[in-house]
Amino acid sequence: MTLIPHRTSGVEESTLPPDYQRILAAVRQAAGPVMARQVGDALGIDVSVRAKLEPLRGRLVRPVDRGWLRKLPDGRFTTCL
């Protein structure tokens, strides 16, 4: 079973696990595209420790793969329209 469903017309954001809902909310509340470090700050994660930042970066890529977020060529993340 996939924890993060692919984004389709019938799938609501509420079907995502709570951690991913928080990630989407943090990206959405930003003034523009954000780096993983900025998302970590918004979520209260100690981003000065690389061992905590890299798993967050991985959690940001999963919603990109399933159509919930978009990753720009410069590595920043933004919401999909």
Side-chain angles (χ1 to χ4, degrees):
M1 183 171 122
T2 302
L3 290 178
I4 304 171
H6 289 276
R7 185 176 185 193
T8 59
S9 61
V11 179
E12 298 291 325
E13 188 175 313
S14 61
T15 61
L16 296 172
D19 287 345
Y20 288 96
Q21 290 179 30
R22 289 179 52 220
I23 288 171
L24 287 177
V27 173
R28 191 177 297 110
Q29 290 173 358
V34 293
M35 298 296 289
R37 182 174 305 278
Q38 293 168 291
V39 175
D41 283 336
L43 297 176
I45 296 171
D46 182 7
V47 294
S48 65
V49 179
R50 186 176 179 96
K52 295 191 185 234
L53 185 59
E54 289 307 315
L56 174 61
R57 194 178 321 275
R59 286 189 300 188
L60 281 162
V61 171
R62 287 183 198 107
V64 169
D65 292 342
R66 291 171 177 86
W68 293 96
L69 291 176
R70 211 168 41 124
K71 186 174 181 182
L72 302 176
D74 63 0
R76 295 181 299 160
F77 296 87
T78 187
T79 56
C80 291
L81 298 175

